[in-house]
Amino acid sequence: MAHERCEQCGNQTPPWDTIHCGSGDGHYELLCTSCFNARIAESAGFTDFENVRLDPIQLIDCEGDAHQFHFQLRLLGARIALDGFELQGELPAGYRFQLIGEADDDVFVLLGRLIEKIRRALSFRHVDFRERRIIDSMVRGRIEWDESQPGHLPLVVVDGKEVLWDDLGRMLMSMEGWQFRLEIADPSDEL
Ligand SMILES: [Zn+2]
């Protein structure tokens, strides 16, 4: 996917590192994350906000597979959101994690906490994708949009992999008669 030009600094920026920013008069601007944060910091008066660029890191899951995580730090008024995600092409896909902190938190402390959170998640497998079954009695994941089911059925991402809603249903049928609990949580919560 093509890079887009930040309307503030003019830099060509991959889509995952851009933000559509409303200006109040109904006009939307495409900004790179860095320009977006600088603008929020200026309007909110956070003059000592550290607009750091975080390099991607590679982490290994419990099966020995490597995952490359990219990071996006967004200043959201008095809070900051730190996202860590994998990319497919130039778009986030696979594992995705978020931490919410205060605007004056040390970014590298937050990054350390996010990496610990990612490591905890990577150390666990919910689904055996070869045998297409739930390994133990728990599945945790993320609800996403399924292009082939425009808004009718979700796509879930479990263990960093996409699972069609129908496939999740098939996996559940080996547990017919059992009970289940479905709990929805904020993107930054740890399940
Ligand atoms: Zn920019």
Side-chain angles (χ1 to χ4, degrees):
M1 181 172 275
H3 286 201
E4 294 166 291
R5 204 171 62 82
C6 170
E7 291 180 41
Q8 179 83 38
C9 67
N11 286 344
Q12 292 289 332
T13 311
W16 63 266
D17 199 20
T18 61
I19 297 167
H20 285 276
C21 178
S23 61
D25 58 1
H27 174 69
Y28 277 84
E29 268 184 299
L30 185 81
L31 298 179
C32 70
T33 307
S34 180
C35 288
F36 172 83
N37 288 341
R39 184 172 294 184
I40 301 291
E42 195 185 300
S43 67
F46 295 116
T47 45
D48 52 358
F49 174 71
E50 246 188 307
N51 209 347
V52 288
R53 173 161 281 285
L54 301 165
D55 291 328
I57 62 161
Q58 204 174 66
L59 294 169
I60 310 292
D61 68 21
C62 55
E63 308 268 284
D65 293 330
H67 299 266
Q68 174 102 333
F69 284 92
H70 296 257
F71 299 99
Q72 185 184 34
L73 177 73
R74 285 172 298 150
L75 181 59
L76 306 167
R79 315 186 87 188
I80 46 179
L82 178 61
D83 287 276
F85 45 87
E86 296 184 278
L87 294 177
Q88 203 171 65
E90 300 273 14
L91 293 172
Y95 279 110
R96 181 178 190 109
F97 300 92
Q98 187 181 73
L99 265 193
I100 301 291
E102 303 300 319
D104 56 359
D105 281 347
D106 184 322
V107 170
F108 291 99
V109 172
L110 281 183
L111 179 65
R113 278 174 46 209
L114 183 65
I115 290 170
E116 283 311 306
K117 185 175 178 177
I118 296 173
R119 280 191 205 281
R120 283 194 293 277
L122 292 186
S123 70
F124 202 93
R125 267 289 147 98
H126 303 89
V127 166
D128 183 326
F129 286 94
R130 228 180 7 233
E131 295 180 18
R132 307 181 80 75
R133 65 176 181 87
I134 295 164
I135 293 171
D136 206 343
S137 56
M138 178 171 58
V139 179
R140 294 173 293 189
R142 196 173 67 248
I143 304 163
E144 292 217 333
W145 184 268
D146 186 341
E147 300 279 343
S148 66
Q149 302 277 345
H152 301 300
L153 290 173
L155 177 76
V156 291
V157 179
V158 180
D159 299 338
K161 293 190 178 72
E162 293 181 348
V163 179
L164 298 176
W165 192 247
D166 277 357
D167 290 340
L168 183 66
R170 279 188 202 102
M171 287 183 215
L172 288 174
M173 284 318 290
S174 63
M175 291 171 232
E176 189 189 347
W178 292 43
Q179 304 186 84
F180 77 98
R181 184 175 68 185
L182 182 62
E183 199 179 320
I184 312 295
D186 188 89
S188 64
D189 286 345
E190 185 150 0
L191 291 171

